[in-house]
Amino acid sequence: MSKKNKPDSKGFVYSTDPNFRFEEEPQEQHATLPPAQQLLKVRLDTKNRGGKAVTLVQGFVGTDEDLEELGKKLKNFCGTGGAVKDGEVIIQGDQRDKVMQWLQKNGYTKAKKL
């Protein structure tokens, strides 16, 4: 099957019309909440990671750029690697205490450690 007609969220996979194009649905960007209003959850996760532990920061409301910036600052503070995927920050290792310390220091007062 050719890659010209990619599936969309409505379930359409194939069209016989060579000029058919899926209508892109606009991605809604939420305005970034101030740090004091962010309800972040910090937890340890080992699922689907080959037994390796990672720290997840979930619940960020804001733009992707701001989430990337938060992830970069947390990785730098913890001195480890990580990534920002699917709206959550992934920090390598069990860094829950360090992440909570950084979040509290930088105004994220509603963050919870689960």
Side-chain angles (χ1 to χ4, degrees):
M1 188 166 157
S2 74
K3 298 284 182 181
K4 288 194 307 187
N5 294 327
K6 296 183 180 179
D8 70 344
S9 62
K10 295 180 180 105
F12 294 111
V13 179
Y14 181 76
S15 173
T16 56
D17 181 10
N19 296 324
F20 180 78
R21 295 277 181 237
F22 291 113
E23 295 177 10
E24 296 288 328
E25 294 180 8
Q27 297 283 339
E28 291 184 26
Q29 288 289 332
H30 298 288
T32 303
L33 292 176
Q37 294 179 356
Q38 294 281 357
L39 299 173
L40 300 179
K41 296 174 186 155
V42 180
R43 66 183 185 93
L44 187 68
D45 187 36
T46 57
K47 294 180 183 169
N48 299 325
R49 302 184 201 288
K52 305 285 185 185
V54 295
T55 303
L56 296 178
V57 180
Q58 301 170 318
F60 185 83
V61 177
T63 62
D64 292 336
E65 293 82 22
D66 292 337
L67 182 61
E68 289 279 345
E69 185 66 27
L70 175 65
K72 185 176 179 180
K73 289 177 182 177
L74 286 172
K75 290 187 294 185
N76 190 15
F77 180 76
C78 294
T80 62
V84 177
K85 293 182 183 175
D86 301 327
E88 58 187 23
V89 178
I90 303 169
I91 307 291
Q92 292 177 349
D94 186 1
Q95 306 289 338
R96 291 176 291 181
D97 294 331
K98 278 187 175 181
V99 168
M100 284 301 296
Q101 176 186 357
W102 188 89
L103 290 173
Q104 295 295 325
K105 185 173 80 172
N106 287 287
Y108 294 89
T109 55
K110 292 186 179 179
K112 295 180 185 176
K113 184 167 81 169
L114 302 177

